[in-house]
Amino acid sequence: MAQTGDPRLAEHIDSLRGALLARGRATRAELAADTGLSTMTVGKLLSAMELRGEVSQDETVKAASGRPSVVARYRGEYAHFATVTVCQREGRSVFAFSVYNLFGERVHRSEQAVDDVRQESFDTFFEQSAARGERVRLAVFALPGEIRGDSLYISDFEGLMYGGFLPRIRARWGVETLFENDVNAAVFGHPFERRGEESVHAGVYFPRRFCPGAGLVIGERILHGHGSFAGEVTFIHGPQAWAALDYGDTERVVRMISELLTAVGCTVAPQSTVLYGDFLTEELVRALEQRLRERFCGQFDMRLTGERDIAPDMERGARCLGLRKMRELLRRMD
């Protein structure tokens, strides 16, 4: 479709795609009104998109004149994307594999506990997806760790570190890849009350089996920092201190976490902070807020919420990142 010589063609197709994704089904007149394109241009673009299977068209709606109008339906199954997330349950790493269509509707989800995580640990997920006939074009990995280029240089899973992991997925399964830190994805997906261009929200995950990690979202952008090191709050106390922490010792937990949150509050001053951990109770969260009020001498109110399960936010964030990336991939195809 890019052979017409019109540099605006890709922009027009993407605008039309956005309108169809918002409506699901629409007439050419409705799409012209939504996009500002002429009905003739809309018709030509729809025909081109239909040829490649992205839309279907049916004459099903009657206008006032009695003549049927062509209705275009966006085919969400034209392509799929997958998300891979992980959470800790009873001392085991449980991976969730979800597949979504282009509307962001989940068409499949499965889980598997993996004790020895290796580069090939996800092959079964992709094999089963291919057997179901899903057209996965992108895999979003929301896992603990930080990445430089194609290599994980910090990770709870040594078998995935230092080259090979993401290139292998692309070569073996023919998909694009996107890697995001697990806490970043969770904070990105958390339904904070006030989100805007200048909003600042933070989150800290305490998986117990591993050291804590943090995420920071400014507006709709994840802050990665230099070398993607932002959020590595383990080093505020050090790995040994976290490994030795008894999460049943409330006083010590409050002391260590409040000191960590003091550093977060003083540097980024988030509007809201979500804490993730299966040990969290309402009483513990309130105790942390009280300790922080004392540390900040009443100058800053650090609002906290607690979530015992990080999985829903992590999967929601990975889905949002996947939808954003898929629009980018589809624009490239135009």
Side-chain angles (χ1 to χ4, degrees):
M1 289 193 293
Q3 297 177 354
T4 65
D6 185 351
R8 298 170 300 174
L9 181 60
E11 178 184 338
H12 291 168
I13 293 172
D14 188 57
S15 177
L16 186 60
R17 179 181 294 122
L20 273 169
L21 283 168
R23 285 181 174 268
R25 294 170 59 87
T27 65
R28 294 179 182 180
E30 289 170 333
L31 292 170
D34 288 348
T35 61
L37 302 172
S38 70
T39 54
M40 182 177 295
T41 298
V42 168
K44 289 180 179 179
L45 295 178
L46 287 174
S47 295
M49 295 171 77
E50 185 176 32
L51 280 175
R52 70 182 187 187
E54 193 172 355
V55 302
S56 62
Q57 299 187 84
D58 302 294
E59 294 185 357
T60 57
V61 174
K62 288 189 177 182
S65 64
R67 297 183 59 187
S69 296
V70 174
V71 175
R73 178 181 72 85
Y74 194 83
R75 299 182 68 247
E77 67 276 17
Y78 172 65
H80 298 92
F81 67 94
T83 64
V84 180
T85 60
V86 64
C87 62
Q88 299 301 311
R89 292 184 191 155
E90 299 178 353
R92 303 189 71 189
S93 296
V94 179
F95 289 84
F97 181 86
S98 296
V99 179
Y100 298 88
N101 65 20
L102 292 174
F103 287 106
E105 299 165 338
R106 189 161 59 195
V107 299
H108 175 80
R109 185 181 186 279
S110 57
E111 289 187 350
Q112 181 179 344
V114 183
D115 295 317
D116 184 17
V117 181
R118 300 176 179 273
Q119 292 186 12
E120 62 271 18
S121 294
F122 311 108
D123 285 356
T124 300
F125 289 138
F126 288 99
E127 288 169 357
Q128 293 173 347
S129 177
R132 290 190 299 270
E134 294 154 355
R135 305 177 66 190
V136 174
R137 298 290 180 263
L138 167 71
V140 180
F141 292 89
L143 304 177
E146 305 296 351
I147 193 169
R148 286 177 181 162
D150 265 345
S151 298
L152 278 167
Y153 75 100
I154 296 176
S155 178
D156 293 338
F157 308 117
E158 291 187 10
L160 300 182
M161 290 178 66
Y162 307 117
F165 164 45
L166 295 176
R168 180 186 179 280
I169 292 289
R170 292 196 294 270
R172 176 73 177 81
W173 300 107
V175 300
E176 293 282 341
T177 58
L178 173 65
F179 182 91
E180 187 54 78
N181 172 269
D182 56 345
V183 192
N184 284 344
V187 179
F188 190 74
H190 186 74
F192 292 104
E193 286 185 10
R194 290 181 290 278
R195 296 188 74 151
E197 244 179 76
E198 301 301 322
S199 64
V200 179
H201 297 291
V204 187
Y205 178 33
F206 301 91
R208 292 215 266 187
R209 182 183 173 194
F210 301 106
C211 293
L216 185 70
V217 173
I218 302 175
E220 293 300 318
R221 181 174 61 88
I222 295 172
L223 179 67
H224 294 99
H226 178 66
S228 295
F229 194 75
E232 293 300 322
V233 294
T234 288
F235 300 102
I236 290 175
H237 290 297
Q240 291 183 340
W242 291 110
L245 177 60
D246 176 5
Y247 282 86
D249 184 344
T250 301
E251 180 52 39
R252 191 175 178 208
V253 166
V254 169
R255 183 173 68 253
M256 286 186 65
I257 294 180
S258 64
E259 289 172 0
L260 184 156
L261 293 175
T262 299
V264 173
C266 289
T267 51
V268 299
Q271 291 165 266
S272 300
T273 301
V274 55
L275 307 179
Y276 299 101
D278 61 6
F279 61 94
L280 290 169
T281 63
E282 185 68 21
E283 293 75 20
L284 181 57
V285 173
R286 300 289 78 83
L288 285 166
E289 284 186 326
Q290 177 60 34
R291 184 67 63 90
L292 289 169
R293 277 192 290 270
E294 296 168 359
R295 292 185 68 89
F296 290 128
C297 302
Q299 298 300 306
F300 179 64
D301 180 21
M302 196 161 186
R303 289 173 291 182
L304 306 178
T305 57
E307 298 285 351
R308 294 178 66 87
D309 186 4
I310 194 174
D313 281 355
M314 198 187 305
E315 292 186 34
R316 189 183 297 113
R319 169 188 171 275
C320 292
L321 292 168
L323 279 171
R324 180 185 291 183
K325 185 67 175 180
M326 283 302 298
R327 285 293 296 274
E328 178 186 321
L329 295 179
L330 290 170
R331 282 194 292 270
R332 284 190 212 164
M333 292 170 55
D334 299 333

